[in-house]
Structure formats: structure tokens, C-alpha cells
Amino acid sequence: MQDNSHWISEPTFLVGAERSGTTVLRLMLGHHPKIAWCNEFEYATDLLSDQGQFPDLNRYYDWLETHRVFRATGFEIDRSLSYPELINSFLVQKRDIEAKKIVGATVHRHFDRVLKMWPDARFIHIIRDPRDVARSCLGMGWAGNVWFGVERWREAEQLWNHIKQMVPESRRCELSYEELIAEPVLTLTRVCEFLGVPYDQEMFDYTKNSKYEFPDPKYIAQWKRKMSERDVQLVEKKIGNLLVERGYEPSGFPTIEVTPILEKRLKIQNWWGRLQGRVERLGWPLVIEDFVARKFGSKQWQKKVQLQINGVYQSRLK
């Protein structure tokens, strides 16, 4: 273990499904004068096993070479550190670069695994209406239909149920996207109290240097205006009782039956929709080269193609 003066014993993790408001909340937190926040910290958890086994470090270094999010951080890799120490060093670097008191990170997947490194970790959980999440995932090209689009939400919420059994209430803060948008100052004040800092108006300065607007209630319950009855039925069928458990009102539409034949059709539609989304972003030549490189190419070729893909995504963010 590294020097205790550098070990962050109780980092805070912002968790929840993608498209649930994690980005806008992360931007708000990161603009607080005393809070630094890492985005998409999955490079800390994706290669951990569910049993808590740490990845081989040489494999991990190699993996990070083409990891788009990690490469954008500019973090240094100290090869003298163990895996937990290395991951902790990324948080330390973020905190020290921004010269702030508190540091945290956003994790959408496998966020229970952070407890393997930080048993006393704290969590901020944000949730959004799953019908809006499913619709948004479809718009991002991550799914070909809402049946699969809501899967990320379902997985995240099932994982949160697991976290709640392991982490005491004093180390958990729960909020919804809807209350963050409807009552941003009140909600952020509560989050700041959880983090041990006062609310600061500078948290809304994210609107000056990002594409995200000031909280607008028009983004709440968009599914009521933009989703078909059938899509709403599919989402509500897929997530079952979780909708009501999380405090969201069912639509009242009749329950839809998802037969094995329909499920197979949805699976094919999902595959085709995701492929179309990938082609739209990267173009056929790069999609085909990536497929061939992964199937038959050398590691060097695979890296080269992945870096090209990273470049395309980075250019789209500008």
C-alpha cells in the first residue's frame, strides 16, 4: 500500500445508468471550487473480476494505451505501484491538478467493484425515468430498440440494490434526475451537504464551457410526448416492478406479451440498429477494418484501428 498521506480512504462515486443525468451532475460537481470529479472511471473497474481479483498489470498498461477516456485524462502511470495504488493515484492526480479538497469519480458499470479497493467508499446514486433512459440510449445508437435500450438502466438499478445491502445509509446519497432538473439548487445543496462542503453558485458555470444547458423542466418525462405506446409497453414489461419500486408511475397501458418469436425479432433489430449507429459514426471502411483486425489482425493493427476510432469520437466531441 502506498504512503497513507496519498491514499484516499473515502472517495465518493457518482453511480447510475448512462443517460440518467450523470454527466450534467458531474459537471455541476466539478465546477464547485472545492470538488474535482473524474468522468467515466470505468477504466478502474472493467478489468476487475467479480471476485475482486486485480488484473495483470502488464495487460492493464497495454489496455490503457488505446482507452479513449483514460488517454484524454493525461494521467501518468507509475509502474512501481500495485493495481489499487495505481487506481488511487489517478484520483490523487485529479485532485492535485485542480488543487481541490474533494475528489470523486463517475462509474456506470460494475460500480460495486470499487469496494474491493475502497471498502469505505461513499456513493451518490442518480436515477432517471427508465422510459426516458431507453429512448435516449436509442438516440445514441447504443441499442436498436427500447427493449434493449433500457437494459443499462435495469442492470444499474439491480446493482444499486446490491450496493444498498453492503453500504450503510450514512455513506449513500440518492437523488433523481427529475428533482435535479426541477429543483437544482435544493438538490445540489443536499448533495453538497453529503460531501461536506457548502453549496456554491459556481456549480452552474458548467453552462459556460460545455454543451449542456441550465436545468430545464422540458427534459423531464419526455417519453410522454416522444414514445409510442408500444415502446412504453416494452420498457415497462422489461423492467417489471423496478419502475414502481423507484417511485415512477406506470403508464397505465395494457401489459404487452413478449413471445419468444418477438424477443428474437427484437434481438435482430437491436443488432442491426447498433450496427447502423456505429456505421453512421465511423463509416463503413473503419467498421469493416475494425472487424477484420479484431478477428484476424495483429495486436499492433488492432491498436492502430482503435486509435483511429478514438480520433473520430474525439472529433465529434469538439
Side-chain angles (χ1 to χ4, degrees):
M1 196 67 69
Q2 68 185 57
D3 186 337
N4 286 337
S5 64
H6 294 294
W7 185 258
I8 299 173
S9 60
E10 297 182 5
T12 303
F13 295 96
L14 170 58
V15 302
E18 291 163 295
R19 312 309 296 172
S20 290
T22 53
T23 299
V24 72
L25 179 53
R26 185 258 302 172
L27 289 170
M28 291 170 172
L29 293 171
H31 279 78
H32 191 290
K34 294 184 178 179
I35 302 172
W37 214 268
C38 296
N39 67 313
E40 299 179 41
F41 203 56
E42 283 80 14
Y43 51 84
T45 60
D46 274 351
L47 294 192
L48 263 69
S49 72
D50 286 327
Q51 291 72 41
Q53 295 174 316
F54 302 129
D56 173 79
L57 281 170
N58 287 324
R59 180 192 170 209
Y60 185 60
Y61 303 146
D62 188 59
W63 184 68
L64 288 180
E65 283 185 20
T66 57
H67 196 289
R68 178 173 57 86
V69 175
F70 177 78
R71 285 173 61 88
T73 64
F75 292 154
E76 294 181 4
I77 297 174
D78 184 342
R79 298 195 177 213
S80 71
L81 301 178
S82 67
Y83 183 82
E85 291 169 346
L86 179 61
I87 298 303
N88 182 78
S89 78
F90 298 150
L91 292 181
V92 171
Q93 289 179 61
K94 181 68 173 178
R95 182 192 64 189
D96 293 351
I97 287 168
E98 298 197 13
K100 293 184 176 181
K101 173 185 173 184
I102 294 171
V103 66
T106 303
V107 189
H108 300 106
R109 299 185 300 272
H110 311 304
F111 43 81
D112 58 326
R113 296 177 184 175
V114 301
L115 292 168
K116 304 294 183 182
M117 293 174 283
W118 295 283
D120 297 322
R122 292 151 59 83
F123 295 87
I124 299 170
H125 172 250
I126 186 169
I127 187 171
R128 185 183 186 185
D129 191 308
R131 293 157 292 201
D132 279 326
V133 172
R135 192 188 63 80
S136 187
C137 285
L138 198 61
M140 293 294 293
W142 297 345
N145 51 57
V146 296
W147 179 258
F148 284 91
V150 79
E151 189 60 28
R152 294 169 191 244
W153 185 93
R154 187 174 73 157
E155 289 176 358
E157 292 312 308
Q158 288 174 338
L159 191 53
W160 182 244
N161 282 346
H162 180 54
I163 288 279
K164 289 174 76 171
Q165 295 174 357
M166 299 187 294
V167 176
E169 190 175 351
S170 60
R171 287 175 20 220
R172 292 186 270 115
C173 176
E174 300 184 66
L175 67 144
S176 72
Y177 172 81
E178 289 79 14
E179 63 185 323
L180 177 64
I181 298 303
E183 296 283 354
V185 174
L186 191 64
T187 306
L188 288 174
T189 298
R190 181 161 63 87
V191 173
C192 286
E193 286 175 359
F194 175 74
L195 292 171
V197 293
Y199 163 78
D200 195 293
Q201 189 65 28
E202 287 184 30
M203 298 177 83
F204 292 110
D205 285 352
Y206 73 91
T207 58
K208 299 175 182 178
N209 53 20
S210 78
K211 64 180 181 181
Y212 285 81
E213 305 169 2
F214 191 85
D216 190 331
K218 72 181 181 183
Y219 293 113
I220 296 174
Q222 292 186 78
W223 66 270
K224 292 181 178 179
R225 305 183 300 276
K226 298 183 178 182
M227 280 181 80
S228 68
E229 179 176 326
R230 182 176 182 274
D231 277 354
V232 173
Q233 290 172 305
L234 283 171
V235 170
E236 293 184 352
K237 177 70 174 180
K238 184 71 172 282
I239 60 178
N241 294 332
L242 266 176
L243 181 75
V244 177
E245 285 177 21
R246 291 298 191 262
Y248 292 101
E249 288 284 337
S251 64
F253 294 144
T255 302
I256 194 172
E257 181 184 1
V258 179
T259 64
I261 292 175
L262 175 56
E263 195 157 11
K264 186 170 289 188
R265 286 177 182 166
L266 289 169
K267 190 173 182 179
I268 294 170
Q269 184 186 45
N270 181 60
W271 172 82
W272 179 245
R274 290 179 63 191
L275 177 61
Q276 285 182 308
R278 190 167 171 80
V279 170
E280 183 181 333
R281 291 189 296 272
L282 302 176
W284 273 113
L286 194 50
V287 168
I288 292 170
E289 185 178 6
D290 181 48
F291 174 79
V292 175
R294 287 175 183 275
K295 285 287 184 181
F296 311 108
S298 64
K299 278 192 174 181
Q300 204 58 37
W301 187 15
Q302 292 171 16
K303 282 185 179 180
K304 171 180 159 290
V305 174
Q306 187 58 53
L307 290 174
Q308 283 182 270
I309 291 172
N310 290 353
V312 172
Y313 283 117
Q314 284 300 120
S315 66
R316 290 171 67 93
L317 291 174
K318 293 177 182 178

